[in-house]
Each structure stands twice: as structure tokens, then as C-alpha cells.
């Protein structure tokens, strides 16, 4: 929420702008303003919560994906592929959660 949002909400709830620094309002205006700010904050938190849960692959799902899509006879190569996928999954999770801040 920025300054313009606050001013818009103040006007919407009945505040009267007397000058650049002074506003006039009633107790009811303050209560409506507080309710509007609280609702805006709840909406912001709800929007952020949509991205809080990372839905990625667990180790068993990675195993199944490799087994179902890649035939690797060399155990070292299989371990390398498995490690690369696990590393990519961790990087994606890190990126996904870092962008929420």
C-alpha cells in the first residue's frame, strides 16, 4: 500500500482534505478507514499465501520420473542424472520462495 492508496481510502471513507497536511474526520470515518485498511491487508496476505506452498517433486517422484522416462544402465550416470534433477528442484524451490519476499 502506498501513499496514493492511503489517500484514496481516506477519501472513500469520508475524510475531508483541509490542506496538504491536515484532514478532518469523524470517529465513524476512522473506523471505516481502519476496516478498509485491514481488508486491504488481508487481501494482500491472501494473495501472497497463494505462492507460499511450493509444489515440487519429492525424491520418490524423481526416482519414478527417471525410471519411467530414461533407461540408464550405468549406475554412475544414473546417480549423476538423479543428482542433477534434485539440484534443479532445489534451485526452483529457492527461486520460487525468494520471489515472494
Amino acid at each position: 500500500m502506498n501513499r496514493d492508496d492511503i489517500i484514496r481510502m481516506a477519501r472513500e471513507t469520508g475524510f475531508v482534505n483541509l490542506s496538504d497536511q491536515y484532514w478532518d474526520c469523524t470517529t465513524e470515518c476512522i473506523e471505516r478507514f481502519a476496516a478498509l485498511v485491514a481488508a486491504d491487508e488481508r487481501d494482500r496476505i491472501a494473495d501472497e499465501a497463494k505462492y507460499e506452498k511450493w509444489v515440487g517433486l519429492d525424491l520418490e517422484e524423481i526416482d519414478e520420473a527417471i525410471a519411467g522416462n530414461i533407461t540408464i544402465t550405468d549406475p554412475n550416470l544414473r546417480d549423476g542424472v538423479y543428482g542433477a534433477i534434485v539440484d534443479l528442484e532445489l534451485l526452483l524451490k529457492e527461486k520460487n520462495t525468494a520471489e515472494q519476499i
Side-chain angles (χ1 to χ4, degrees):
M1 181 179 333
N2 61 33
R3 183 178 189 274
D4 291 337
D5 294 330
I6 293 168
I7 291 171
R8 177 188 47 77
M9 285 188 258
R11 286 189 174 124
E12 284 177 16
T13 55
F15 281 63
V16 177
N17 188 0
L18 301 176
S19 70
D20 286 342
Q21 295 181 356
Y22 298 102
W23 291 76
D24 186 31
C25 64
T26 63
T27 302
E28 291 82 16
C29 290
I30 294 171
E31 290 171 351
R32 286 193 303 269
F33 179 75
L36 193 58
V37 170
D40 189 72
E41 184 66 7
R42 279 191 302 274
D43 290 346
R44 184 189 64 78
I45 290 169
D47 284 345
E48 288 179 2
K50 292 176 189 174
Y51 302 102
E52 286 182 5
K53 183 178 180 186
W54 170 253
V55 180
L57 300 175
D58 62 29
L59 299 180
E60 185 176 314
E61 291 168 324
I62 291 171
D63 266 343
E64 290 172 7
I66 292 171
N69 294 298
I70 304 171
T71 302
I72 302 173
T73 56
D74 182 345
N76 291 327
L77 181 56
R78 185 191 182 291
D79 289 346
V81 169
Y82 181 83
I85 293 171
V86 170
D87 288 347
L88 286 171
E89 188 69 14
L90 291 172
L91 287 171
L92 286 170
K93 182 176 182 179
E94 182 180 313
K95 181 177 181 181
N96 181 273
T97 55
E99 290 181 0
Q100 298 173 30
I101 298 172

